[in-house]
Amino acid sequence: MTALLDVQHLSVTLTREGNAASLVDDVSFSLNAGEILCIVGESGCGKTVTARSLIGLNRTDPRFALTGKIGFDGTDLLSLDETQMRKVRGSKIAMIFQDPMTSLNPLHRIGAQIGEVLRNHTDLGARAIRERTIELLAQVGIPNPASRVDDYPHQFSGGMRQRAMIALALACSPSLLIADEPTTALDVTTQQQILALIDGLRHQYGMAVVLITHDLGVVAGIADRVMVMYAGQCVEAGPVRDVFRAPQHPYTAGLLASIPAANRIRTPRLPSIKGAPPVLTEGRPRGCAFSPRCNHAFGACIERPDLEGADHVYRCWLSGGARAHLAIEAGRVPA
Amino acid sequence: MIRYLLGRVVGGLITLFCVTGLAFFATALAPGNPAAVLLGNMATPERIEAITRQLGLDQPLPIRYGIWLRETLLGNLGTSNVSFKPVADLLAAAAFPTIQLALTSLIVAVVIAIPLGLVLAQNRNRWWSRPASSLITIGISVPGFWVGLMLIVLFSVTLRLLPSAGYVPPTKDVLGNIRSLVLPVTTLAIYLIPSLVRFVRVTAISVLREDYVDTARAKGTAPAAILLRHVAPNTLVTTITYIGLQLGVLISGAVVVELIFSIPGLGRLGLNAVLNRDYPVVQGVVLMAATGYVAVNLLIDLTYALIDPRVRAR
């Protein structure tokens, strides 16, 4: 089975006032149809830039330079010109954003904003578009969709707006949905509903999902695969069960240790990772970017490690024995 | 919605009251006696006193304002101290040229500036965007009267294409009316355009950074459609408010342009009235300008509600 999405050596460089900063550095991953990949990491680690690169939101900005390959359904998206890419956006790849309060145009009716996708990519007439829009709103759980379709965004609550955004994304039955922290701006009960909705719809539509989050609880609940990013690089990636049970990178172990969860091995204080991630626009640290914050750093970390492993990959110099110990540190196995 | 509009109307009336009051006391504070101006060479202390009493200027200031306010509310704006014509007639004659000049200039400026600002915002990362924006800044710094004089030199004196001064009413000669307005309108529009372009450009750039523009791009909408459908309306909401605030600039610009091109409008009427200490006419012109300002801003609030559903909900 060939992967739906096959990203190879993706790098994104931002050049501003003569300074070039590498925001995404040699990231590779692949994703099969119907799978959910979660990208996790701290703010500014390149998660969002990676996601926006997939759908090509930053490619027209002359300050961004993208290299590598984004294989999608057999074509390299980076080789497409902007007109071809526009045909992919909204129809085969759709995206929903972090803040549903600002991602809908306040001056247009909900229905018109969803209908715009259908107008862009289908030959449907006005009536058919309206019917399909109402159907979509019903599917994402908006009550009274036939009357709500004519509402303006300010008449919708935050959770309903995110539902409307999901309806908008689903309009053309895309094979890939990119969700950039879709629940961060919502309250906890709504978060669960939205995630359950996304999970249900991916089964129904058979679409792959790239979900960006910094909530590892979400990852455990919904994802098939997980990719941990640090300072623009993939530091660890693999099937969720493997990564959670046996983290191979100290950063992943640190993230896992800091989840407040009932099944975690109790310590008097919730562990945290010391220090703060590097600011990528100020230059990348030499060698392993995590080494200044790592409890296990040693001489080899001055050199940059490569990605090791096959299905479960990691970027760390530690020996197998030392890495096996990380699961205990993560609080996954009793010491 | 009704409450919102009612609030605006009441606010407008309060503004009118304050502006006319302020103007009344300010003109009275200016040195110079209307009676002395009126009498000129024939002024003697006795005559000045007689005329002063005849004009009612011997009364205390607050009482004079009270009388003016009462008469105005009853629809009587008084008569000119100089020409002894009713102020209402003078205003009616002068209003049309000014309104025609100001409105045409504003429309020309808006029609040119809004698309220009949007295009500059859309292409903010192109190499020609910076020089174009610098040119606009230069445009803001050029005084309006200088542009007017240069236009007269070029089109009237050198090329002899257009009249250098005067105003032909459209009731007399439509073509002549248009010809007489080309240069004044151009001058006033050039005066208004740069700051408007800059405002639209800055506003549109911030709108382009909004999340819903990303949403539109993620839908596969073409850049031109994004600009027209999403960026332009959201830019317009703020720009309309800005235009309302710029009306003061428009009015003062119109006064200067009327003087350069000898157009018998409100600006010239008002200026002459101030120089002659012709208080009733000054008050009439101020009332007229303030009413125009308040009325247009009320209209803008209505338009605002038309564009933005969130305002309608209030």
Side-chain angles (χ1 to χ4, degrees), chain A residues 38-93:
Chain A
C38 278
I39 304 180
V40 295
E42 285 163 281
S43 303
C45 71
K47 308 184 296 271
T48 298
V49 179
T50 305
R52 292 171 66 91
S53 304
L54 296 180
I55 194 168
L57 281 182
N58 47 18
R59 54 185 280 151
T60 49
D61 190 330
R63 296 171 304 172
F64 283 91
L66 283 74
T67 56
K69 178 175 161 267
I70 300 175
F72 174 75
D73 219 1
T75 39
D76 178 11
L77 295 182
L78 288 183
S79 72
L80 297 182
D81 65 28
E82 180 57 18
T83 319
Q84 292 168 316
M85 190 62 206
R86 214 182 296 142
K87 293 202 178 94
V88 176
R89 273 190 219 123
S91 70
K92 293 183 183 137
I93 303 179

Side-chain angles (χ1 to χ4, degrees), chain A residues 52 55-58 60-62 86 89-90 93 95 97 99 102-108 113 116-117 119-121 152 154 165 168, chain B residues 124-126 210-223 225-226 229-231 233-234 237 307-313:
Chain A
R52 292 171 66 91
I55 194 168
L57 281 182
N58 47 18
T60 49
D61 190 330
R86 214 182 296 142
R89 273 190 219 123
I93 303 179
M95 182 161 181
F97 300 89
D99 190 351
T102 56
S103 45
L104 290 164
N105 187 334
L107 305 185
H108 294 320
Q113 303 196 44
E116 192 179 351
V117 192
R119 244 191 306 163
N120 286 343
H121 300 290
Y152 286 96
H154 73 266
M165 277 300 289
L168 190 155
Chain B
R124 65 196 178 285
N125 288 322
R126 301 274 174 92
E210 292 282 347
D211 289 344
Y212 52 78
V213 174
D214 274 344
T215 305
R217 294 182 61 210
K219 288 180 199 175
T221 307
I226 292 178
R229 221 177 285 157
H230 296 281
V231 180
N234 279 288
V237 172
I307 300 179
D308 196 333
R310 288 167 296 184
V311 177
R312 253 174 283 159

Side-chain angles (χ1 to χ4, degrees), chain A residues 216-288:
Chain A
L216 286 166
V218 169
V219 180
I222 198 173
D224 300 300
R225 302 181 67 84
V226 60
M227 174 163 87
V228 182
M229 285 188 75
Y230 188 81
Q233 289 180 330
C234 161
V235 293
E236 182 162 4
V240 170
R241 281 171 58 95
D242 297 358
V243 173
F244 272 48
R245 201 182 304 157
Q248 299 294 306
H249 194 284
Y251 181 57
T252 315
L255 289 180
L256 289 169
S258 57
I259 314 175
N263 60 356
R264 205 176 54 82
I265 288 142
R266 301 282 174 146
T267 46
R269 287 186 57 173
L270 190 66
S272 61
I273 304 173
K274 64 179 184 192
V279 178
L280 291 178
T281 45
E282 287 170 6
R284 152 178 304 283
R286 260 171 51 82
C288 171

Side-chain angles (χ1 to χ4, degrees), chain B residues 46-121:
Chain B
E46 295 78 31
R47 279 179 175 163
I48 287 180
E49 212 194 304
I51 299 270
T52 302
R53 195 169 304 137
Q54 198 188 323
L55 293 176
L57 296 175
D58 54 339
Q59 308 260 16
L61 208 51
I63 290 180
R64 272 159 56 197
Y65 181 60
I67 292 172
W68 179 82
L69 206 60
R70 191 190 68 206
E71 290 299 312
T72 302
L73 288 174
L74 292 172
N76 174 19
L77 289 174
T79 50
S80 163
N81 287 350
V82 179
S83 64
F84 300 108
K85 284 182 188 158
V87 173
D89 292 359
L90 290 172
L91 288 179
F96 188 77
T98 301
I99 291 172
Q100 200 191 3
L101 169 68
L103 214 60
T104 318
S105 308
L106 186 63
I107 290 169
V108 169
V110 164
V111 165
I112 292 174
I114 289 181
L116 202 63
L118 287 172
V119 168
L120 281 175

